[in-house]
Amino acid sequence: MKRIAVYCGSASPADGRYIHLARQVGKTLAAKGIGVVYGGGRLGLMGAVASGALEAGGEVIGVIPEALVGSEVSNTDCTELRIVPGMHQRKQAFTDLSDGFLTIPGGVGTLDELWEAVSWAQLGYHRKPVGLLNAFGFYDHLLAFNRHMIEVGFVREAHRDIIIAEHDLDLLLERMERHVPHKPIFEMKAEDL
């Protein structure tokens, strides 16, 4: 993987572990020669990921919608900052520019990005690994709900392993590197659906 889209929050939680984690993610990716594609802000976890990667000499491409340029305070320190018309174009750019997706803790926007990456993988719009760093057990309930959707039958058995979840970043990146794409819905017959 040459570049990974990192999905995370623009907020700064009171618990400093989250900012430290985000900075370490940026540093680790840079140390492994993996560029960061992210939301383009300089605040919160977003800014920490970018700062960590830039401090370690990594490539950082920020993608930010016009409407958020002022409110998120664009990170002009990025290797490249792309300003796009809206959120749809932002997420498309994440997909186009990256070789995989890495979600770390965040809020509603982060989950929107994660679920779109998962949905697009199911359908066949991309065949890239979708990683979830479950640091501090942050995503335990989300992973339980995903298992529930599989058990009930809303997620096909062929797609049960789209989300690659780990507590440890190095292990997660190793698993993402070994990712083998599943059979997408676009390639399935009606009887498989």
Side-chain angles (χ1 to χ4, degrees), residues 62-76:
V63 183
I64 190 166
E66 291 171 351
L68 295 177
V69 169
S71 63
E72 284 194 19
V73 192
S74 300
N75 188 350
T76 56

Side-chain angles (χ1 to χ4, degrees), residues 1-174:
M1 293 180 292
K2 294 180 182 173
R3 289 185 187 140
I4 290 180
V6 179
Y7 298 147
C8 60
S10 60
S12 297
D15 186 339
R17 295 182 302 171
Y18 292 102
I19 293 292
H20 178 73
L21 170 73
R23 186 175 293 279
Q24 283 305 119
V25 167
K27 286 181 180 180
T28 300
L29 292 174
K32 293 180 180 290
I34 301 171
V36 170
V37 180
Y38 87 114
R42 66 176 175 89
L43 302 177
L45 273 68
M46 267 200 233
V49 167
S51 294
L54 290 166
E55 288 168 10
E59 175 192 43
V60 176
I61 299 174
V63 183
I64 190 166
E66 291 171 351
L68 295 177
V69 169
S71 63
E72 284 194 19
V73 192
S74 300
N75 188 350
T76 56
D77 294 333
C78 293
T79 309
E80 179 182 349
L81 181 64
R82 295 186 181 197
I83 299 173
V84 295
M87 294 299 285
H88 295 297
Q89 293 86 355
R90 181 192 224 182
K91 290 186 284 187
Q92 184 65 57
F94 290 152
T95 302
D96 293 343
L97 293 169
S98 70
D99 301 309
F101 309 92
L102 171 60
T103 300
I104 67 174
V108 173
T110 303
L111 291 179
D112 173 55
E113 292 162 344
L114 168 64
W115 286 120
E116 183 158 296
V118 171
S119 176
W120 285 17
Q122 284 181 335
L123 291 167
Y125 284 113
H126 74 76
R127 293 178 174 263
K128 302 172 184 184
V130 180
L132 181 71
L133 184 59
N134 189 22
F136 323 120
F138 184 80
Y139 286 115
D140 284 351
H141 296 291
L142 182 81
L143 291 168
F145 182 67
N146 192 57
R147 282 191 300 274
H148 178 66
M149 289 190 296
I150 293 165
E151 291 163 3
V152 171
F154 285 111
V155 175
R156 290 165 187 83
E157 188 62 32
H159 304 141
R160 78 168 17 260
D161 296 323
I162 288 177
I163 296 176
I164 303 167
E166 290 291 345
H167 291 89
D168 178 79
L169 179 59
D170 288 326
L171 181 56
L172 177 57
L173 293 172
E174 287 173 22

Side-chain angles (χ1 to χ4, degrees), residues 122-124 127 181-190 192-193:
Q122 284 181 335
L123 291 167
R127 293 178 174 263
H182 60 279
K183 185 174 184 177
I185 290 172
F186 291 159
E187 294 177 5
M188 293 180 171
K189 306 234 183 278
D192 298 327
L193 300 174

